[in-house]
Amino acid sequence: MLTPEQLAAAHKANIDMLFGLTRQALEGVEKLVELNLEATRAALRDAADNAQALLSAKDAQELLQRQAALIQPLAEKTIAYSRQLAEIAARTGGAFAQAAEDQAAQAQHKVQAVVDNLSRNAPAGTEPAVQVLRNVVNAATTAMETVQQAVKQAAELTEQNFQRATEQAQQAVDAAASAAASATAAPRSRSGNRRTAA
């Protein structure tokens, strides 16, 4: 049986955990807002600069070259934004997962203490029932650990998949930029050949 002091301590611990998680969630939201504000400011600056650069092109060839030059930085900024967003989500989610894991460990410890106390104070002849209870607690503990491990593996797999997708996106951007550079260089070399042939 829990004493009033133990109940008060448990209640205080739960309130502390709740406020800690709330603080973590607010910090995550704050970082997300900061990231979005900075991304919006950068996008507005880039849009103005890019519009100026495109409007100052003297011919179609130069316009194509400038457009091709804009692809790479835009894609890199998008990838960097996605990485930062994933980091914020992982940090915030990690804090919640850690709190849940800590709470589960504390609950497991408390249940184990109750079972141990019950087994010491159980009347003679109830040993089989106490053993069944102990087996149920052990099975529940094993199941909880299995679920926690599966959640960790799923989070790691998600992070690996995100990293792989980011790398593939970067490769696609690099390939597109190379193709755009080649496409804009090809008309120049043809026009240069015409001039030398004339």
Side-chain angles (χ1 to χ4, degrees), residues 116-139:
D116 290 343
N117 188 26
L118 182 65
S119 66
R120 281 191 302 268
N121 298 321
T126 60
E127 292 84 12
V130 171
Q131 187 57 41
V132 167
L133 182 59
R134 193 180 293 274
N135 289 342
V136 168
V137 169
N138 289 339

Side-chain angles (χ1 to χ4, degrees), residues 41-114:
R41 284 186 194 117
L44 288 173
R45 280 192 308 266
D46 292 347
D49 293 345
N50 295 341
Q52 284 291 47
L54 292 175
L55 290 173
S56 66
K58 294 175 181 58
D59 58 17
Q61 180 65 30
E62 187 177 348
L63 179 65
L64 288 174
Q65 290 172 345
R66 290 181 185 212
Q67 282 179 327
L70 298 177
I71 292 172
Q72 179 85 17
L74 178 62
E76 288 174 354
K77 288 177 183 176
T78 302
I79 290 170
Y81 173 82
S82 297
R83 281 185 185 142
Q84 289 175 325
L85 188 62
E87 287 173 10
I88 291 169
R91 249 184 269 124
T92 304
F96 278 86
Q98 185 62 47
E101 193 174 314
D102 292 346
Q103 280 294 90
Q106 288 175 7
Q108 175 187 349
H109 179 71
K110 288 175 186 175
V111 168
Q112 192 64 44
V114 168

Side-chain angles (χ1 to χ4, degrees), residues 117-190:
N117 188 26
L118 182 65
S119 66
R120 281 191 302 268
N121 298 321
T126 60
E127 292 84 12
V130 171
Q131 187 57 41
V132 167
L133 182 59
R134 193 180 293 274
N135 289 342
V136 168
V137 169
N138 289 339
T141 300
T142 302
M144 175 118 30
E145 289 171 356
T146 302
V147 168
Q148 287 173 345
Q149 187 62 31
V151 168
K152 281 183 184 179
Q153 288 173 347
E156 290 170 2
L157 182 62
T158 300
E159 188 174 339
Q160 289 172 357
N161 286 341
F162 178 77
Q163 291 295 334
R164 200 172 305 123
T166 301
E167 290 168 5
Q168 289 172 350
Q170 185 66 49
Q171 290 170 356
V173 166
D174 293 343
S178 296
S182 298
T184 57
R188 261 190 275 137
S189 64
R190 276 189 242 136

